[in-house]
Amino acid sequence: MNLWGGILKLFGWKVDITAPRRDKCVICVAPHTSNWDFIIGLLAYKSLGRKANFLMKDFWFFFPLGFLLKSLGGIPVPRKSRASKLTDTIIKKYKNSDYLNLAVTPEGTRSRQEKWKTGFMYIAYGAKVPVQLGIIDYKNKRVVIEKEYHPVGNIKTDIDAIKQYYADAAPLARYPEKFSV
């Protein structure tokens, strides 16, 4: 067990990541209702010796925090960035990288959102990578990534299928009332 796994174990968390190890994938993480989701998810992935990248507002990438965030896999997102430009930039990163596991939260925020962001699906389409489905389960103190979804190329069909997977996940969130599919 490494340091990352030891920290999780100390706090009673288990890692149940059985989806295939991929050099390139998008990791959809829901529900996302707390800043702790990021820390717990990062510890879980690193406990397996893997690196996950993540998107974060560029506001947080000031010195010295920016150095730390980038070393942990952070990709700054300009606040005024158009979604299509960001999607294209990330797809290019996939094409130019040997390894890129990008963790995204489709809600886009920790607040309750009735409509999910779809950029992660467009990234998966453009990069031709699967979407692994992750849950940070506070109820049972587990980080789970056991399912993998291969997009069919129809945004409504794909988002509906992924939402179906998460349909009963609200009770697992840190703040269940903040999650909606």
Side-chain angles (χ1 to χ4, degrees):
M1 178 180 307
N2 60 22
L3 172 67
W4 309 100
I7 293 169
L8 281 173
K9 187 174 181 177
L10 180 69
F11 289 97
W13 283 82
K14 292 184 173 74
V15 177
D16 188 9
I17 299 178
T18 57
R21 185 196 181 286
R22 300 279 183 203
D23 287 338
K24 296 182 182 183
C25 67
V26 171
I27 307 163
C28 177
V29 182
H32 175 47
T33 64
S34 167
N35 283 330
W36 285 105
D37 299 346
F38 166 73
I39 295 164
I40 293 166
L42 181 68
L43 288 170
Y45 219 62
K46 287 199 168 286
S47 76
L48 298 176
R50 300 180 191 177
K51 180 180 179 181
N53 292 88
F54 54 92
L55 303 174
M56 187 177 269
K57 292 175 188 162
D58 62 352
F59 168 84
W60 293 104
F61 287 81
F62 57 85
F63 183 81
L65 185 59
F67 178 76
L68 174 65
L69 291 172
K70 284 183 181 178
S71 71
L72 291 172
I75 300 171
V77 176
R79 289 183 146 208
K80 307 236 181 213
S81 173
R82 286 189 354 255
S84 61
K85 183 178 177 188
L86 176 62
T87 301
D88 291 342
T89 300
I90 300 299
I91 291 169
K92 284 179 189 165
K93 278 188 180 290
Y94 272 98
K95 292 183 178 174
N96 296 325
S97 300
D98 292 328
Y99 181 93
L100 181 57
N101 287 192
L102 179 67
V104 297
T105 56
E107 299 132 297
T109 181
R110 293 168 312 280
S111 302
R112 186 177 178 88
Q113 293 296 314
E114 301 301 323
K115 186 173 185 206
W116 282 13
K117 306 280 186 188
T118 57
F120 76 100
M121 286 306 311
Y122 288 107
I123 291 168
Y125 296 158
K128 297 178 177 55
V129 298
V131 178
Q132 295 192 341
L133 307 176
I135 296 175
I136 298 175
D137 174 356
Y138 286 87
K139 184 177 179 182
N140 302 297
K141 287 192 160 187
R142 293 182 328 138
V143 178
V144 180
I145 305 175
E146 56 188 13
K147 300 287 183 195
E148 185 171 82
Y149 181 79
H150 294 270
V152 298
N154 177 297
I155 196 72
K156 180 171 178 7
T157 300
D158 289 330
I159 292 292
D160 286 350
I162 289 172
K163 282 183 169 186
Q164 182 62 40
Y165 175 78
Y166 290 106
D168 298 323
L172 307 177
R174 181 162 175 100
Y175 302 107
E177 70 280 0
K178 291 184 177 184
F179 181 66
S180 173
V181 291

